[in-house]
Structure formats: structure tokens, C-alpha cells
Amino acid sequence: MSLGYFEVAVYQPKAAVNVGTLWRTAYQLGCAGLHVIGERWKRARQASDTVKSWRHVPAREWSDFDAFFAGLPHDAPLVGVEMGGKPLAQFTHPERAVYLLGAEDYGIPRDVLSRCHQVVSLESVRTESFNVAVAGAIVLYDRVFSR
């Protein structure tokens, strides 16, 4: 199974536990890296990361979106995960990608979303709004096992 190259990023996360859970998921699914954009979260040891993902998946912290965007890997499009995008069931994951998730309380701002190369949304029975760590897990799982 070829996974291609992929990373995951969170814009202005509010809760460190969500970053820890996403980091563990990134490790479990073969993700090459984790990015945290903004100063809202406090880095701390996370009970949700029982496999010490930091030993296997590097995390990079960026002060703002412009710095993060300038540091995107070559030929890896930025895929926003936000309500109103192309439904995940109809989405074809690119060979290389960085998936961008939004803050728990306000998602991805329009000016940031407009710089994404593609936008994907998660279908649901009720509302498209998921916890950021859960949304990341769904998208990464779909990438790995739908290929």
C-alpha cells in the first residue's frame, strides 16, 4: 500500500488534549508530520498520547499562517477540512498533501481557507461540525484506507 506523503496541521487549536489525540492518530496512520499554527495552545504532556508520538512524528510550531504556508513541503497541496467543502466521500486524495484543520471554536477563517488548494468537508447525520481531533482522524483514516 502506497500512502504517498502527508502531514496534518491545526490552525489556532484551543485544547492541548486535541493536539495530543491528533498527534497519536497521525502516528498510527503513517503521517509524516504535525503542524500547530498559532499561540493559543499550551504544549504539555498529553494523557491522550500513550504511544509517545513525539518520538516518531515531528511537530512543528508556527507563529502564524503566513510562516506555515511559506514552509509547506514542495508539491504538497494544502487541503482545508471545513464545512462547505467537497464531501469526503467524493474526494480523491492527492498523492502528497497537508491537511489543515481549524480551531475548535471557529474553524478555519475565510482568508486562510481561500489559500487552501482544495477544501473537503465531512458528511454527518446531523451537523458537519466535528471535534478537531476526530475530524483529523476521519480524514487521515480515509486517506490511508480508501487508496
mmCIF file of all heavy atoms in Angstrom, residues 12 15 22 30 43 53 61 67 88 121 134 138:
data_model
loop_
_atom_site.group_PDB
_atom_site.id
_atom_site.type_symbol
_atom_site.label_atom_id
_atom_site.label_comp_id
_atom_site.label_asym_id
_atom_site.label_seq_id
_atom_site.Cartn_x
_atom_site.Cartn_y
_atom_site.Cartn_z
ATOM 1 N N GLN A 12 -4.689 27.440 15.061
ATOM 2 C CA GLN A 12 -5.124 28.047 16.330
ATOM 3 C C GLN A 12 -5.899 27.082 17.240
ATOM 4 O O GLN A 12 -7.003 27.411 17.703
ATOM 5 C CB GLN A 12 -5.974 29.293 16.065
ATOM 6 C CG GLN A 12 -5.238 30.422 15.402
ATOM 7 C CD GLN A 12 -4.307 31.180 16.344
ATOM 8 O OE1 GLN A 12 -4.249 30.922 17.533
ATOM 9 N NE2 GLN A 12 -3.566 32.118 15.789
ATOM 10 N N ALA A 15 -7.413 23.507 22.622
ATOM 11 C CA ALA A 15 -7.212 22.500 23.669
ATOM 12 C C ALA A 15 -6.017 21.601 23.346
ATOM 13 O O ALA A 15 -5.989 20.937 22.308
ATOM 14 C CB ALA A 15 -8.472 21.657 23.817
ATOM 15 N N LEU A 22 -4.721 14.112 18.183
ATOM 16 C CA LEU A 22 -4.433 14.172 16.752
ATOM 17 C C LEU A 22 -3.024 13.669 16.459
ATOM 18 O O LEU A 22 -2.798 12.946 15.477
ATOM 19 C CB LEU A 22 -4.611 15.599 16.229
ATOM 20 C CG LEU A 22 -4.405 15.792 14.734
ATOM 21 C CD1 LEU A 22 -5.398 14.953 13.930
ATOM 22 C CD2 LEU A 22 -4.523 17.262 14.385
ATOM 23 N N GLY A 30 0.506 6.763 9.876
ATOM 24 C CA GLY A 30 1.648 6.942 9.000
ATOM 25 C C GLY A 30 1.893 8.353 8.507
ATOM 26 O O GLY A 30 2.567 8.556 7.501
ATOM 27 N N ARG A 43 1.752 23.762 25.080
ATOM 28 C CA ARG A 43 2.360 22.440 24.923
ATOM 29 C C ARG A 43 2.480 21.789 26.304
ATOM 30 O O ARG A 43 2.945 22.389 27.251
ATOM 31 C CB ARG A 43 3.734 22.545 24.302
ATOM 32 C CG ARG A 43 4.358 21.175 24.069
ATOM 33 C CD ARG A 43 5.794 21.249 23.714
ATOM 34 N NE ARG A 43 6.017 22.101 22.570
ATOM 35 C CZ ARG A 43 7.058 21.976 21.783
ATOM 36 N NH1 ARG A 43 7.940 21.052 22.001
ATOM 37 N NH2 ARG A 43 7.219 22.797 20.777
ATOM 38 N N SER A 53 3.968 9.785 20.599
ATOM 39 C CA SER A 53 4.031 10.099 19.170
ATOM 40 C C SER A 53 5.150 11.067 18.828
ATOM 41 O O SER A 53 5.706 11.023 17.733
ATOM 42 C CB SER A 53 2.706 10.682 18.710
ATOM 43 O OG SER A 53 1.687 9.750 18.905
ATOM 44 N N GLU A 61 5.899 24.039 15.171
ATOM 45 C CA GLU A 61 5.028 25.115 15.625
ATOM 46 C C GLU A 61 5.328 26.363 14.807
ATOM 47 O O GLU A 61 6.483 26.691 14.562
ATOM 48 C CB GLU A 61 5.252 25.382 17.111
ATOM 49 C CG GLU A 61 4.849 24.199 17.975
ATOM 50 C CD GLU A 61 5.042 24.467 19.458
ATOM 51 O OE1 GLU A 61 4.590 25.527 19.927
ATOM 52 O OE2 GLU A 61 5.648 23.621 20.120
ATOM 53 N N ALA A 67 3.784 32.130 7.914
ATOM 54 C CA ALA A 67 5.026 31.377 8.130
ATOM 55 C C ALA A 67 4.814 29.900 7.796
ATOM 56 O O ALA A 67 5.639 29.277 7.125
ATOM 57 C CB ALA A 67 5.499 31.545 9.571
ATOM 58 N N LEU A 88 -16.228 14.392 1.654
ATOM 59 C CA LEU A 88 -15.121 13.446 1.724
ATOM 60 C C LEU A 88 -15.374 12.202 0.875
ATOM 61 O O LEU A 88 -14.457 11.691 0.234
ATOM 62 C CB LEU A 88 -14.857 13.045 3.186
ATOM 63 C CG LEU A 88 -13.653 12.150 3.438
ATOM 64 C CD1 LEU A 88 -12.356 12.816 2.980
ATOM 65 C CD2 LEU A 88 -13.571 11.783 4.915
ATOM 66 N N SER A 121 -15.105 18.468 3.121
ATOM 67 C CA SER A 121 -15.969 18.511 4.307
ATOM 68 C C SER A 121 -16.351 17.093 4.712
ATOM 69 O O SER A 121 -16.275 16.160 3.920
ATOM 70 C CB SER A 121 -17.222 19.353 4.049
ATOM 71 O OG SER A 121 -18.011 18.751 3.049
ATOM 72 N N VAL A 134 -11.149 14.453 16.104
ATOM 73 C CA VAL A 134 -11.992 13.463 15.418
ATOM 74 C C VAL A 134 -12.004 13.746 13.915
ATOM 75 O O VAL A 134 -11.856 12.832 13.099
ATOM 76 C CB VAL A 134 -13.430 13.462 15.993
ATOM 77 C CG1 VAL A 134 -14.356 12.598 15.153
ATOM 78 C CG2 VAL A 134 -13.415 12.992 17.440
ATOM 79 N N ILE A 138 -10.754 11.148 10.985
ATOM 80 C CA ILE A 138 -11.609 10.686 9.888
ATOM 81 C C ILE A 138 -10.926 10.919 8.544
ATOM 82 O O ILE A 138 -10.869 10.026 7.689
ATOM 83 C CB ILE A 138 -12.988 11.378 9.935
ATOM 84 C CG1 ILE A 138 -13.784 10.904 11.143
ATOM 85 C CG2 ILE A 138 -13.772 11.131 8.642
ATOM 86 C CD1 ILE A 138 -15.042 11.717 11.421
#
